[in-house]
Amino acid sequence: MSVVSHLINGELVDSNRTLDVTNPSTGKVIRQVADANAADVERAIAAAQAAFPAWRDTPPAKRAQVMYRFKQLLEDNADRLVKLVSEEHGKTPEDAMGELKRGIENVEYACGVPELLKGEYSHNVGPGIDAWSNFQPLGVVAGITPFNFPCMVPLWMYPMAIACGNTFILKPSEKDPSAAMAIAELLQDAGLPKGVMNVIHGGREAVETLLDAKAVKAISFVGSTPVAEAIYTRGSAAGKRVQALGGAKNHAVVLPDADLENAANTLMGAAFGSCGERCMAISVAVCVGDATADRLVETLLPKIAELKVGPGTRKGLDMGPLVTAEHRDKVLGFIDDGVKAGAKLVADGRDLQVADHEEGYFVGGCLFDNVTAEMRIYQEEIFGPVLCVVRVGSLDDAMQLVNDHEYGNGTCLFTRDGEAARRFTDAIEVGMVGVNVPLPVPVAYHSFGGWKRSLFGDLHAYGPDSVRFYTRRKAVSQRWPSVSEATQAEFSFPANQ
Ligand code: NAD
């Protein structure tokens, strides 16, 4: 059985431990992945440290040239990468291609790094004194990524980190490591010097070694909220810059004047695409008025019944399996819990069977009506194909519900009322907001991040915030007095007025 190795200093390196990688459509172990211990991680850190001085001094325009070649290689190898994602994650090839393309947009943004790193300059801030700020790389930085976007989320991080002059260590999810590894090898092929990009695989031990290492200056994390919080706490206590993006419970608020057919169509993709395993998935539809809720449920039910579910590697489907047997059981547990709590399960995907894939981790689309804020299925992230309908009396009630939730990643309002939309976008306590756009994932030249317990840290991922996250500002004041100019000692604090 093949093993997915680490990439350290441009070489493939194995560990003496491995973990299984499973195809969730069949339930079969298809390969192994190396499981790094502390010594493996320290080797990667040493390689990244050694590569840093020369890479820092490489002109940004030259670093950008690597990114241009990298983008081309990603496009040339797209079908191979998509196949790896579908095989290990279970998402459909069309969905995997979508995430790869959104990832490539971040490489395109990183190609503009000479422009993005232009500093700020002021002439004559004092007599004969010029001042400027420039943005310098931090050194060795690391990224820890989740299973659900094995191409895109790593690409949120290292193209910009590396383009800014840092060296990088990626720890991808051990559940679907192959695409992230194949992409890192393409970056080597694009001409990146050895040691600038390293990949280590594994779990908690690998991550904690990165968190505690003095040489690692910053950590970007994306994953579940309990782990995000622990990483933020431990990493910042060790003096690092940390951005840790966590879980979500994204609400779509549906007003009575919304175009319900359109809302239902877009909600189907937002709730059930990728089997609901997206941090921006809509998992709650908050309907204003019973009539709106009745019509929405009526419109959704036949669409849910028609969902095409099957193996992730097959084209033309709507949903593949959940990622692991453990995760499938957790999702099923939530559904049972919702029924017990009194929510009405109007579409039940629990018994779905996929022909010739009896061992796959499939769950069909589920719709709960009459969900209330006290229920666990409302409060917690399910991360499966389960949409909950909550009924409220007014837009204000809907906004209160959204604002009271501990998560604040994404939200959306369906309406034709511009005044309501303006009020919603202004006062809603969520980091990414859509109006008639249920998945408001910002494009690569904006930044991505939630509020409340969906993000620990202050700078968001990718886009302009990532330039700030992966650099530190240096402010320089400079004076060149002429040789004949006499300088006097000044004891009061220098001021211009
Ligand atoms: P996870 O938290 O289980 O794992 C994420 C990463 O952390 C993996 O690389 C994993 O190996 C590592 N890890 C897991 N447990 C750890 C521990 N105890 N100590 C140190 N490292 C640990 O998340 P997941 O199941 O891979 O991904 C799904 C979660 O990610 C969902 O909650 C989803 O909402 C979230 N997510 C958030 C965003 C966002 O942008 N906010 C994007 C994608 C996914």
Side-chain angles (χ1 to χ4, degrees):
M1 194 168 278
S2 66
V3 178
V4 185
S5 313
H6 311 297
L7 178 71
I8 300 177
N9 205 26
E11 312 289 336
L12 296 179
V13 175
D14 287 326
S15 280
N16 51 14
R17 309 189 295 208
T18 56
L19 298 164
D20 290 343
V21 180
T22 304
N23 178 342
S25 301
T26 60
K28 293 210 162 58
V29 175
I30 47 173
R31 54 184 70 93
Q32 304 279 307
V33 60
D35 179 13
N37 58 25
D40 298 324
V41 179
E42 274 150 18
R43 210 167 142 189
I45 296 171
Q49 257 186 310
F52 176 62
W55 186 244
R56 176 195 55 203
D57 292 340
T58 302
K62 282 208 162 168
R63 294 187 216 132
Q65 291 303 318
V66 176
M67 292 299 152
Y68 280 108
R69 291 191 290 272
F70 181 40
K71 169 184 149 66
Q72 188 60 52
L73 287 173
L74 285 166
E75 287 170 349
D76 295 347
N77 287 275
D79 290 335
R80 177 167 70 90
L81 297 170
V82 159
K83 197 163 167 276
L84 289 172
V85 173
S86 294
E87 197 180 31
E88 294 183 357
H89 174 287
K91 67 174 77 174
T92 66
E94 295 86 347
D95 192 25
M97 187 61 89
E99 78 150 292
L100 178 62
K101 286 188 173 162
R102 292 301 293 263
I104 291 173
E105 287 176 16
N106 294 279
V107 182
E108 289 168 357
Y109 187 68
C111 289
V113 78
E115 168 71 22
L116 296 167
L117 285 182
K118 272 197 317 205
E120 298 156 350
Y121 179 81
S122 298
H123 187 67
N124 261 352
V125 294
I129 302 176
D130 305 326
W132 68 88
S133 295
N134 64 1
F135 297 93
Q136 300 194 333
L138 306 174
V140 179
V141 301
I144 299 144
T145 53
F147 79 85
N148 68 324
F149 284 106
C151 294
M152 184 182 77
V153 171
L155 288 171
W156 285 359
M157 300 175 180
Y158 63 81
M160 186 48 76
I162 287 174
C164 286
N166 301 284
T167 56
F168 202 88
I169 300 170
L170 174 70
K171 207 302 283 172
S173 171
E174 66 280 24
K175 293 181 185 130
D176 47 10
S178 293
M181 185 64 186
I183 291 177
E185 290 187 75
L186 293 178
L187 184 51
Q188 292 300 130
D189 297 345
L192 194 74
K194 288 180 175 183
V196 175
M197 173 70 185
N198 305 276
V199 184
I200 48 148
H201 300 283
R204 190 168 179 160
E205 182 176 346
V207 172
E208 289 181 347
T209 310
L210 287 171
L211 288 174
D212 296 342
K214 269 209 166 61
V216 176
K217 302 299 178 197
I219 299 272
S220 296
F221 171 87
V222 177
S224 58
T225 285
V227 183
E229 188 169 27
I231 289 210
Y232 182 78
T233 306
R234 187 158 171 167
S236 42
K240 297 184 201 323
R241 196 177 277 199
V242 185
Q243 52 176 190
L245 283 70
K249 194 81 179 173
N250 306 310
H251 301 66
V253 175
V254 187
L255 292 189
D257 70 346
D259 174 343
L260 270 201
E261 182 60 30
N262 263 338
N265 279 337
T266 54
L267 268 180
M268 284 298 295
F272 301 112
S274 208
C275 216
E277 292 171 318
R278 290 180 182 145
C279 67
M280 290 292 276
I282 294 287
S283 49
V284 184
V286 185
C287 295
V288 174
D290 282 331
T292 311
D294 291 342
R295 276 166 51 222
L296 183 71
V297 168
E298 221 169 85
T299 317
L300 285 171
L301 280 176
K303 297 179 195 295
I304 294 173
E306 282 164 18
L307 275 172
K308 294 190 285 270
V309 188
T313 42
R314 193 181 294 162
K315 284 191 175 165
L317 301 176
D318 301 319
M319 268 179 17
L322 289 164
V323 69
T324 58
E326 189 192 10
H327 187 53
R328 181 218 30 218
D329 294 345
K330 188 172 159 204
V331 170
L332 292 175
F334 269 114
I335 301 169
D336 294 345
D337 196 77
V339 173
K340 271 194 217 123
K344 219 162 117 188
L345 186 60
V346 289
D348 184 354
R350 285 178 291 186
D351 293 330
L352 179 93
Q353 289 294 323
V354 172
D356 303 325
H357 289 79
E358 286 72 18
E359 305 302 317
Y361 313 136
F362 296 96
V363 175
C366 294
L367 183 66
F368 272 113
D369 196 358
N370 299 102
V371 174
T372 59
E374 304 73 44
M375 295 178 184
R376 234 184 103 228
I377 52 166
Y378 172 76
Q379 290 168 352
E380 295 183 28
E381 181 181 48
I382 300 176
F383 224 54
V386 184
L387 179 62
C388 295
V389 173
V390 179
R391 295 165 176 243
V392 295
S394 67
L395 174 59
D396 285 342
D397 292 345
M399 287 173 63
Q400 191 66 53
L401 192 74
V402 176
N403 288 348
D404 285 346
H405 204 285
E406 65 168 329
Y407 293 124
N409 216 36
T411 188
C412 163
L413 179 71
F414 287 105
T415 185
R416 290 188 171 281
D417 178 346
E419 190 274 330
R422 188 169 188 279
R423 188 146 59 92
F424 184 82
T425 52
D426 195 39
I428 207 73
E429 289 173 25
V430 172
M432 293 170 282
V433 184
V435 175
N436 300 314
V437 175
L439 289 181
V441 177
V443 289
Y445 41 96
H446 287 256
S447 295
F448 179 111
W451 286 13
K452 299 185 275 185
R453 289 177 62 75
S454 292
L455 187 146
F456 301 86
D458 40 18
L459 289 170
H460 288 194
Y462 69 77
D465 271 16
S466 69
V467 183
R468 291 291 173 267
F469 185 78
Y470 293 122
T471 58
R472 53 185 170 171
R473 178 188 289 264
K474 183 174 278 177
V476 181
S477 301
Q478 181 171 270
R479 177 169 174 241
W480 292 97
S482 66
V483 183
S484 57
E485 213 177 304
T487 311
Q488 303 293 327
E490 253 193 69
F491 297 99
S492 53
F493 200 64
N496 266 332
Q497 288 167 0

